[in-house]
């Protein structure tokens, strides 16, 4: 099946798409019997260094309900200058600009290698990127210091014309005005009071052109910019100001009595940040970056009271329905997340604390808006510092690896409907002919909004075959799917990336082998895992496990070869062989098991699982274990204690954590200092090899994994 | 005293009546010796014109007040309608009036008669002269009054005035002056009468006890009272002293007389009616004219009679006062004609100026030693030193009476309110030591176990010093061993004089931690400056001015003792419809501003760096104060909030766990959407309706609630208002009022005009020593109890006065009621204990003790009263009353109470006299005039130009005024500037607040503690105008000028010096307004001439006196 593997890999590289099935069962009934749904993992902004964007706008199908984009799969009549839409079969005239079109003079979007193509839209004024820092000041001094330094450092990484804003919070919430000379100014809000967006905007003076403190010269045309600019300023203008301001940030001054937690108004701070952007820059790319060092302890969104003797909720409490604040807090943050998403902004959470910080309640903020969630022990760790730094990393073109305010539209040919998506997105509730009634993940729509995304952001998109059994598709027929992603590029351009893919239909009865062979078990495992994790958010853990088991059994039933009553006779074809193993690991993964994990950790893991691409997802499901020894080159070994040998070094990558484990003998050698002796240089190399590999992983991964080093005494 | 007054008239009169001069002079001459008359005379001479005017008013009133009926009958004969009126005035004198009436007709007769009387009088006077010096003088007062009765003189004036008859017609009176010219001659006689009237001098005699008896003086009948001596004295007195009073007119004999007489001639009828009615004796001898009348009566009949009279009087002397009354009837019979004169002579009625002068002269020279129980201290207007020998200085406590009736029945009968006006933190002159601080260490102050009274000089040590008996509740307590001391043979502790708490009336204890909130020693207090930066505030220049001033003012925060630097921390807030807090922590490179827009739910956004030590954060503060005006220079925000601002300050103090004071600078009605939002509810139509009280009530209860919270936190609020229109002072002042703060109001503030006044007030307010988070408790001996309190404070129960802040200007008036019998032997004790936190954060107890006498005779009560204090109490009582009752009711209550007090005296203490005679107790002879001033004040009787805000403002100001302040506030001081020689650097003697006392060739200063006017007569010499204003003529003087040019000449320096010294005496800066005669601003000025009829309907002094007399007579009948 090398060909299919290559095909899959090729497709992934070109289009950023991996289907669970690469040959599609041609009827609804057959499709449902395949157990694993027809679905794909889509990485909308997969980096394509070889794909320069075209500088014009796409040609749309003229049928109002279709509006598919001209693509290589369309039939073109060069003479008549007509093209037929491959989704609705509408025949369309080329626009006048295409007058010179011919077989030998094709526009890029018609060439097969441009099944994925990116258009740059020239219309509309570019709007700057916005970064709004929301900073917790209830931190230990060294933590705060480290955070301040990180933030100051980040200023130098931001695009110079980006707008930045600063909100700090503790017992109160302060919105800092950045353009003041001689006096630093901030608006202060009580941390206990839930305010509506309108109230917030009123209080910040955003609703009226004439602000009390705003110099009022005769009606200024640029009133609006000046209003919003009080809180959000181009970085190049207020670089120094903001650096000083950050430098002067003090710990929350309110006394924290013995036995109490500091009062932390995260909920209100976030609400104000959302309200501020909502009032000033709706539908413009913006990141709200929340840095918090502990759980919200007051006001709306509080997760735990300030009594230290009452610990923050655990899974146990949640099961016992003993988490008093959880529901209310969750509701608060969900409301915020939905508003943020509606405005096209995203929320990042950087939570660094030894204890939980309420990610469980707040998870929806990054989850629904495509923001990042980073969890660490302290801001004063390289884990946080480097992770944070990596957010501002740039691609080969010198552009930030981030995009904003994307909408993803899925169009399907008639035999298919789209059932839903799982990933950092929210539904835009666009009904259409290609929307399935059955929902998998976030469904009921053909468009989703992804407020923040990067080149690795990956969504699982689930389809339903709707073709009836009695209406067979002619041999050689292909089903097509078009993914259209509108987004704001980090260069502030609006862009549209279009990916059009097609797969063959096959009749299950006659061509099951084909279909089997075209099964992508890795993609399938991840897609099923996403479904499982998605369910786990709302259902009891055991139910999800049972469902997974049932699916696995059904799959094996369908595709396994076995003799009844003879377990030993069970065989799965190569294309399925790894799937049960993935499921095994998935069952015991932290994505589905909460034992030994705090609710925050579970939320954290699930967050990342729902947005990473296939490779990373697989690592999460089934950690990689490499062995290094003098017996040969590094090799993967079983995830089993039997893999621990005295003369081996093991490197385990669980995505969130990298562990290097020295075998007993190796450890003794190392202790004896052989690595420093010239004659044992090979030992030095052996010690170094896993470190180098780990370093490589560390360099590439976001968020930075934790690196642990074990060696038995 | 009176002399002075009388003097003024002189000029005009003088000419006319050469004879009188002689008298006067002679008499005066004598007098001078006795009293400081001489100088006064000079002054008076000037005034003369004024006098003329006055008479008329008196006349007019007389009619009204007096029971017309009787008079009318008498008048009937006269046939003159005008008289008829007077007759009424006379009613009291009923008969007399009639007589007078008759007289009037025969103006000539008077003339003749007068002469005779004059003669007689002089004689009388002389006799008095000698005695006058003695206390008896007071008694003579009564006589004086009688002499007032002599009013006959007034008739003369009355004539002149006659035209003016109407109260209002002061001007009318002038015309009379012209008449006077002619009258003079005729008047001559009157003068004589005037003198008699002058006799009032007896008042000067005032000497307390005598005063009562003296009444007889008026009528020789008095004899009974004063006894023989009195008569003699009285007589003598009269000449001297009387001259002063009554005579004042007479002194210049001529003038006064002239006035009196002169007017009488023509107007006589008029006057006669009125004057007769009122013979003012100390004891309210108004009506009494009779005394004189009697005399006159006889005199009239024949010149001989006069002569005889004198004779008789002498014998009679003792009874005089009464005599007057009694005689009146006779008089009536005899000289209906004489009586015609009965109009009241303004100079004959008790003069505040005279009383003040007398007290100054008599009591100002030696220290007031507080060792003796129940001593009446000198008047507040007198400069005196106090030596604390066991009772609190009158600077701390003044009582309405220093002799309390033993039983509640007596108290009820007398209707004299028993009240103490307490100013616990009063500032003392440098010569007097401030209270010693006693530190009893950890055990704290020693107190009675039962009533918790603090150790004081009145505690009795018994059993060899091992125990002490509480002087308040008689409980026997053990003396703690560390406090034990042996007693000497008199039962006094040997160390009594080493311990302030055993030998002094006022002292302080250091409080122990038990006396502190939450059992924690307090943190030094903080000042928070909260500045309105809305459009109005910025435009008027206020913000810039204030910020500039604060920079330097912060160096002068109050500090304790010799501390190098104030312990007080400061914070800053600005606001319009949102609040801006400032972080001025010393470590910051620049201040931080924190905006709180959530005014609906105010909170303090920062803790650290809000309240800072000035010297540590100086750079940041300076930078802040530089920037505030810049930041808001272009503001367009006009709306403001108020309650959230106060709340913010209070919360800030709460967060800092300290007490403190908010300085709020506010410009407009808070109409922005926020708690405490107000609407414009100013409605002048409500005036004089039952709903008028709502104008004084706060719009919503929110402010009271807020104030309560402030008090709990020890947060005192001082409010500076800069309104351009209605701001609802009644509501906004609730918080300052309940937290012991002050309100300052600068209507239509303009930097150029009001800068000086505002800055001066601000400086004073910021620098003054304040006690914080105070609780005051007044304990009394068994038998009386503090039942009511007036002032700027809050009370959550019935005994503890809670003061978030208390400064040296704030006064608490406490009313006492009986709940049991007192006994004469033990007297009554008051102990006022004030627990407070000093500026440095020290918790202290200040104790004031005062012992009062108790009496079983009402006369003792009336002999030991203090009218100024009484007025203080009554004003506060009335001003509180307007919150709950229609203003008219309040006014009526005041009048009734006053009438009852005086009637009770008349009934129980004065020797019997005719009902027509008004007899006033010596100590209360000014009660009517002062009370009239209270009744006419803008709160109780607003003029058209008085805004609702002004009334509310004054109302709350008066609530915490001390006695000196109310005294001058209600009866302004009018100082002639050009009467005395330029070289004379002492403050010129005041003249009575009446237009008649103004001469158009002079310049006067008028002040009432809030306002300061410089009145320039139309015919002032050019030289004077030049040297004072730097312009060449009267017409070039800018009306409304508020600053005198600095010119290098004696007069200019003197006047400016005088203005400065006046300002220094008052707790608020008085802005000067230059008023030119006949200018439209003069209306404003005239409002303060409180003896005249006011435009808003307030009665003139004379009218009111008549009215009061009528009331009294009704009560007596």
């Amino acid at each position: 099946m090398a060909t299919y593997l290559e095909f899959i890999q090729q497709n992934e590289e070109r289009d950023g798409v991996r289907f669970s099935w690469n040959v599609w069962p041609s009827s609804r009934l057959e499709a449902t019997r395949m157990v694993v749904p027809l679905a794909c993992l889509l990485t909308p902004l997969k980096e394509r260094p070889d794909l320069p964007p075209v500088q014009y706008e796409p040609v749309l199908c003229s049928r109002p309900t279709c509006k598919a984009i001209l693509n290589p799969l369309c039939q073109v009549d060069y003479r008549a200058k007509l093209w037929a839409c491959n989704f609705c079969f509408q025949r369309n005239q080329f626009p006048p600009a295409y007058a010179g079109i011919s077989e030998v003079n094709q526009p890029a979007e018609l060439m097969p290698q441009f099944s994925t193509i990116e258009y740059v839209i020239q219309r509309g004024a570019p709007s700057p990127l916005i970064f709004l820092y929301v900073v917790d000041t209830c931190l230990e001094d060294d933590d705060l210091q480290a955070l301040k330094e990180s933030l100051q450092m980040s200023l130098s990484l931001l695009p110079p014309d980006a707008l930045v804003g600063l909100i700090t919070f503790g017992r109160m919430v302060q919105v800092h005005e950045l353009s003041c000379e001689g006096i630093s100014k901030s608006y202060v809000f009580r941390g206990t009071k839930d305010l509506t967006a309108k109230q917030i905007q009123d209080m910040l003076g955003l609703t009226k052109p004439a602000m009390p403190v705003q110099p009022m010269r005769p009606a200024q045309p640029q009133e609006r910019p000046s209003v919003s600019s009080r809180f959000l300023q181009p970085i190049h203008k207020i670089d120094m100001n903001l650096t000083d301001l950050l430098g002067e940030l003090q710990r929350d001054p309110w006394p924290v009595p013995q036995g109490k937690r500091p009062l932390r108004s995260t909920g209100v701070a976030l609400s104000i940040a959302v309200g501020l952007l909502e009032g000033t820059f709706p539908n413009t790319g913006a990141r709200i970056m929340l840095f918090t060092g502990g759980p919200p302890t007051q006001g709306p969104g509080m997760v735990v009271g300030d009594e230290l003797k009452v610990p923050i909720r655990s899974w146990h409490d949640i099961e016992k329905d003993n988490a008093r604040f959880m529901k209310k807090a969750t509701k608060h943050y969900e409301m915020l997340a939905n508003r943020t998403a509606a405005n096209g902004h995203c929320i990042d959470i950087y939570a660094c604390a030894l204890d939980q910080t309420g990610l469980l309640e707040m998870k929806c903020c990054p989850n629904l808006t495509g923001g990042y969630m980073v969890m660490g022990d302290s801001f004063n760790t390289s884990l946080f510092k480097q992770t944070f730094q990596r957010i501002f990393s740039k691609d080969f073109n010198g552009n930030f690896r981030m995009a904003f305010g994307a909408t993803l539209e899925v169009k399907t040919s008639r035999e298919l409907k789209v059932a839903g998506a799982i990933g950092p997105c929210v539904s835009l509730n666009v009904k259409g002919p290609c929307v399935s009634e059955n929902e998998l993940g976030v469904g009921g729509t053909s468009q989703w909004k992804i407020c923040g995304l990067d080149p690795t952001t990956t969504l699982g998109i689930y389809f339903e075959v709707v073709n009836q059994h009695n209406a067979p598709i002619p041999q050689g027929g292909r089903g097509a799917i078009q993914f259209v992603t509108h987004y704001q590029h980090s260069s502030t351009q609006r862009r549209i990336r279009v990916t059009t893919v097609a797969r063959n239909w096959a009749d299950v009865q006659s061509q099951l082998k084909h279909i089997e062979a075209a099964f992508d078990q890795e993609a399938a495992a991840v897609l099923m895992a996403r479904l499982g994790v998605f369910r786990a958010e709302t259902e009891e853990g055991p139910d999800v496990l049972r469902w997974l088991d049932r699916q696995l059994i059904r799959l094996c039933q369908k595709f396994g070869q076995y003799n009844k009553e003879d377990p030993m006779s069970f065989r799965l074809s190569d294309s399925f062989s790894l799937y049960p193993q993935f499921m095994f690991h998935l069952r015991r993964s932290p994505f589905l098991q909460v034992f030994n994990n705090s609710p925050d950790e579970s939320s954290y893991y699930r967050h990342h699982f729902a947005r990473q691409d296939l490779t990373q997802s697989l690592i999460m499901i089934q950690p990689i274990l490499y062995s290094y020894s003098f017996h040969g080159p590094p090799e993967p070994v079983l995830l089993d204690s039997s893999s621990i040998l005295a003369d081996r070094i093991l490197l385990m990558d669980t995505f969130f954590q990298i562990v290097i484990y020295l075998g007993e003998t190796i450890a003794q050698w190392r202790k004896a200092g052989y690595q420093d002796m010239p004659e044992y240089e090979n030992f030095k190399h052996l010690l170094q090899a896993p470190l180098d590999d780990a370093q490589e992983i560390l360099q590439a991964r976001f968020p930075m994994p934790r690196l642990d080093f074990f060696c038995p005494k | 005293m009176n002399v002075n007054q009388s003097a003024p008239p002189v000029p005009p009169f003088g000419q006319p009546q050469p004879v009188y001069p002689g008298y006067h002079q002679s008499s005066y001459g004598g007098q001078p010796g006795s009293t400081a008359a001489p100088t006064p005379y000079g002054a008076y001479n000037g005034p003369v014109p004024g006098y003329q005017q006055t008479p008329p008013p008196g006349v007019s009133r007389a009619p009204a007040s007096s029971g017309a009926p009787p008079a009318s009958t008498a008048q009937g004969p006269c046939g003159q309608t005008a008289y008829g009126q007077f007759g009424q005035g006379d009613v009291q004198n009923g008969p007399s009036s009639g007589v007078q009436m008759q007289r009037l007709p025969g103006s000539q007769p008077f003339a003749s008669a007068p002469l005779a009387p004059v003669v007689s009088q002089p004689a009388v006077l002389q006799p008095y002269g000698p005695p006058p010096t003695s206390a008896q003088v007071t008694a003579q007062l009564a006589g004086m009054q009688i002499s007032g009765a002599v009013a006959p003189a007034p008739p003369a004036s009355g004539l002149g005035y006659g035209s003016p008859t109407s109260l209002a017609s002061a001007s009318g009176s002038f015309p009379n002056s012209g008449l006077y010219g002619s009258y003079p001659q005729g008047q001559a006689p009157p003068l004589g009468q005037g003198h008699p009237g002058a006799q009032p001098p007896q008042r000067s005699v005032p000497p307390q006890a005598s005063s009562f008896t003296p009444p007889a003086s008026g009528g020789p009948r008095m004899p009974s009272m004063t006894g023989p001596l009195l008569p003699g004295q009285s007589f003598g007195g009269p000449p001297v002293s009387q001259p002063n009073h009554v005579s004042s007119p007479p002194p210049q004999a001529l003038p006064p007389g002239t006035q009196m007489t002169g007017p009488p001639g023509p107007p006589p009828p008029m006057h006669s009616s009125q004057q007769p009615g009122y013979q003012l004796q100390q004891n309210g001898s108004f009506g009494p004219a009779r005394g004189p009348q009697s005399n006159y009566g006889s005199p009239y009949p024949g010149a001989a009679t006069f002569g005889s009279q004198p004779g008789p009087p002498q014998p009679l002397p003792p009874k005089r006062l009464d005599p007057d009354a009694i005689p009146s009837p006779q008089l009536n019979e005899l000289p209906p004609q004489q009586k015609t004169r009965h109009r009241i002579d303004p100079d004959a009625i008790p003069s505040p100026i005279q009383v003040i002068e007398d007290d100054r002269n008599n009591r100002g020279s030696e220290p007031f030693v507080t060792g003796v129980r129940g001593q009446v201290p000198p008047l507040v207007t007198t400069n005196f030193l106090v030596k604390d020998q066991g009772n609190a200085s009158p600077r701390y406590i003044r009582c309405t009476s220093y002799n309390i009736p033993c039983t509640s029945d007596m108290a009820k009968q007398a209707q004299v309110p028993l009240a103490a006006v307490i100013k616990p933190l009063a500032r003392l002159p440098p010569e007097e030591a401030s209270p010693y601080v006693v530190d009893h260490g950890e055990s704290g102050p020693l107190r009675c176990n039962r009533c918790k009274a603090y150790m004081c000089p009145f505690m009795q040590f018994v059993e060899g010093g091992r125990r002490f008996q509480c002087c308040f509740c008689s409980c026997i307590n053990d003396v703690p061993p560390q406090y034990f001391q042996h007693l000497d043979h008199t039962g006094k502790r040997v160390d009594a004089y080493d311990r302030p708490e055993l030998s002094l009336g006022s002292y302080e204890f250091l409080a122990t931690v038990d006396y502190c909130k939450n059992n924690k020693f307090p943190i030094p207090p903080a000042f928070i400056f909260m500045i309105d930066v809305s459009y109005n505030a910025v435009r008027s220049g206020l913000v810039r001015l204030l910020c500039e001033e604060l920079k330097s003012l912060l160096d002068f925060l109050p500090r304790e003792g010799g501390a190098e630097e104030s312990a007080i921390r400061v914070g800053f807030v600005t606001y319009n419809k949102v609040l801006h807090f400032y972080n001025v922590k010393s470590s910051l490179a620049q201040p931080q501003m924190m905006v709180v827009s959530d005014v609906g739910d105010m909170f303090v956004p920062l803790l650290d760096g809000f309240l800072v030590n000035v010297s540590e954060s100086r750079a940041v503060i300076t930078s802040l104060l530089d920037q505030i005006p810049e930041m808001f220079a272009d503001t367009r925000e006009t709306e403001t909030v108020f309650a959230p601002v106060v709340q913010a300050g209070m919360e800030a103090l709460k967060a800092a766990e300290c007490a403190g004071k908010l300085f709020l600078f506010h410009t407009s009605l808070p109409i922005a959407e926020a708690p405490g939002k107000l609407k414009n509810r100013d409605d002048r139509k409500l005036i004089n309706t039952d709903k008028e009280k709502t104008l004084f009530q706060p719009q919503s209860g929110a402010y009271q609630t807020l104030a309560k919270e402030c008090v709990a936190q020890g947060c005192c609020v001082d409010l500076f208002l800069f309104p351009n229109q209605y701001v609802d002072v009644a509501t906004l002042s609730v918080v300052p009022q309940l937290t012991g703060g002050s309100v300052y109001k600068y209507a239509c503030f303009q930097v150029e005009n009001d800068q000086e006044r505002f800055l001066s007030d601000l400086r004073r307010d910021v620098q003054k020593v304040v006690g914080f988070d105070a609780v005051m408790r007044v304990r009394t001996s068994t038998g009386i109890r503090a039942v009511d309190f007036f002032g700027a404070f809050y009370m959550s129960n019935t005994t503890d006065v809670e003061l978030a802040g208390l400064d040296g200007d704030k006064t608490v008036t406490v009313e006492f009621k009986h709940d049991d019998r007192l006994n004469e032997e033990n007297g009554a004790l008051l102990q006022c204990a004030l627990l407070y936190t000093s500026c440095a954060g020290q918790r202290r107890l200040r104790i004031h003790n005062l012992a009062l006498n108790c009496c079983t005779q009402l006369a003792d009560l009336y002999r030991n009263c203090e009218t100024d204090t009484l007025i203080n109490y009554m004003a506060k009582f009335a001003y509180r009353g307007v919150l709950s009752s229609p203003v008219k009711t309040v006014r009526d209550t005041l009048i009734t109470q006053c009438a009852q007090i005086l009637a009770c005296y008349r009934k129980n203490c004065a020797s019997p006299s005719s009902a027509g005679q008004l007899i006033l107790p010596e100590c209360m002879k000014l009660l009517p005039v002062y009370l009239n001033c209270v009744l006419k004040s803008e709160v109780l009787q607003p003029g058209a130009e008085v805004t609702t805000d002004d009334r509310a403002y004054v109302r709350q100001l008066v609530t915490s005024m001390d006695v000196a302040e109310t005294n001058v506030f209600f009866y302004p001081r009018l100082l002639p500037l050009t009467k005395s020689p330029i070289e004379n650097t002492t403050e010129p003697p005041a003249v009575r607040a009446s237009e008649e006392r103004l001469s158009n060739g002079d310049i006067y200063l008028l002040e009432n503690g809030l306002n300061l006017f410089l009145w320039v007569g139309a015919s002032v010499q050019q030289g004077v105008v030049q040297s004072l204003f730097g312009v060449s003529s009267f017409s070039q003087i800018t009306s409304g000028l508020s600053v005198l040019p600095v010119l290098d000449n004696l007069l200019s320096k003197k006047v400016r010096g005088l203005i400065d010294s006046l300002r220094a005496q008052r707790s608020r800066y008085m802005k000067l307004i230059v008023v030119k005669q006949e200018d439209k601003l003069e209306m404003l000025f005239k409002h303060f001439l409180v003896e005249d009829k006011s435009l808003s309907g307030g009665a003139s002094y004379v009218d009111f006196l008549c009215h009061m007399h009528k009331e009294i007579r009704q009560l007596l009948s």
Side-chain angles (χ1 to χ4, degrees), chain A residues 54-239:
Chain A
V54 296
Q55 303 290 323
Y56 52 85
E57 297 193 15
V59 176
L60 305 185
C61 169
S62 59
R63 189 189 292 266
T65 52
C66 178
K67 291 200 168 169
I69 292 171
L70 179 63
N71 62 71
L73 302 176
C74 295
Q75 288 189 341
V76 178
D77 181 340
Y78 292 100
R79 244 172 300 163
K81 310 284 189 244
L82 293 173
W83 63 278
C85 171
N86 60 331
F87 294 98
C88 69
F89 307 114
Q90 167 88 9
R91 295 169 68 82
N92 300 287
Q93 283 282 340
F94 278 108
Y98 284 67
I101 195 172
S102 72
E103 276 94 343
V104 292
N105 184 18
Q106 293 180 339
E109 63 265 37
L110 287 181
M111 300 180 191
Q113 71 268 33
F114 287 106
S115 59
T116 291
I117 188 169
E118 191 156 306
Y119 301 87
V120 176
I121 298 192
Q122 314 289 353
R123 286 171 291 144
S127 44
L129 298 187
I130 299 166
F131 297 87
L132 179 53
Y133 295 147
V134 181
V135 182
D136 180 4
T137 54
C138 298
L139 300 176
E140 292 305 316
D141 280 327
D142 43 350
D143 240 18
L144 182 60
Q145 189 54 36
L147 177 56
K148 278 154 64 174
E149 283 164 10
S150 286
L151 294 176
Q152 286 172 325
M153 175 276 300
S154 73
L155 297 183
S156 63
L157 300 176
L158 293 175
D161 56 348
L163 302 182
V164 289
L166 176 64
I167 294 176
T168 56
F169 68 94
R171 182 174 174 146
M172 315 273 172
V173 180
Q174 276 177 272
V175 184
H176 297 266
E177 204 172 301
L178 301 177
S179 55
C180 317
E181 288 298 323
I183 188 165
S184 55
K185 208 170 189 180
S186 59
Y187 282 66
V188 188
F189 296 81
R190 198 190 266 280
T192 52
K193 197 169 170 189
D194 200 4
L195 299 165
T196 65
K198 169 97 176 34
Q199 284 173 311
I200 291 169
Q201 286 156 21
D202 279 348
M203 289 180 185
L204 288 175
L206 301 177
T207 42
K208 251 193 339 187
M211 262 310 296
V213 266
Q214 197 67 21
M216 260 301 294
R217 306 264 150 61
Q220 294 185 348
Q222 36 160 340
E223 202 61 68
R224 198 197 119 119
S226 80
V227 166
S228 41
S229 71
R230 289 187 301 126
F231 303 108
L232 297 166
Q233 288 274 328
I235 181 74
H236 62 90
K237 274 199 197 157
I238 46 93
D239 194 2

Side-chain angles (χ1 to χ4, degrees), chain B residues 585-661:
Chain B
K585 200 165 153 180
S586 56
S587 60
L588 293 175
Q590 59 183 29
Q592 293 178 347
M593 172 187 195
M594 306 179 122
V595 183
V596 174
S597 331
D598 189 3
V599 289
D601 190 7
M602 193 36 69
F603 62 96
V604 179
L606 75 171
L607 186 62
D608 199 19
F610 180 61
L611 296 177
V612 296
N613 179 295
V614 174
S615 58
E616 281 171 14
S617 292
R618 160 135 357 248
V620 192
I621 292 177
T622 307
S623 153
L624 171 66
L625 293 172
D626 280 337
Q627 288 195 48
I628 288 177
E630 302 306 327
M631 269 192 294
F632 299 102
D634 297 317
T635 187
R636 278 262 191 114
E637 185 57 67
T638 54
E639 295 188 355
T640 56
V641 294
F642 186 80
V645 183
V646 175
Q647 189 177 6
M650 186 262 293
E651 299 278 359
L653 295 178
K654 194 186 276 179
E657 297 177 325
C658 65
K661 192 158 164 178

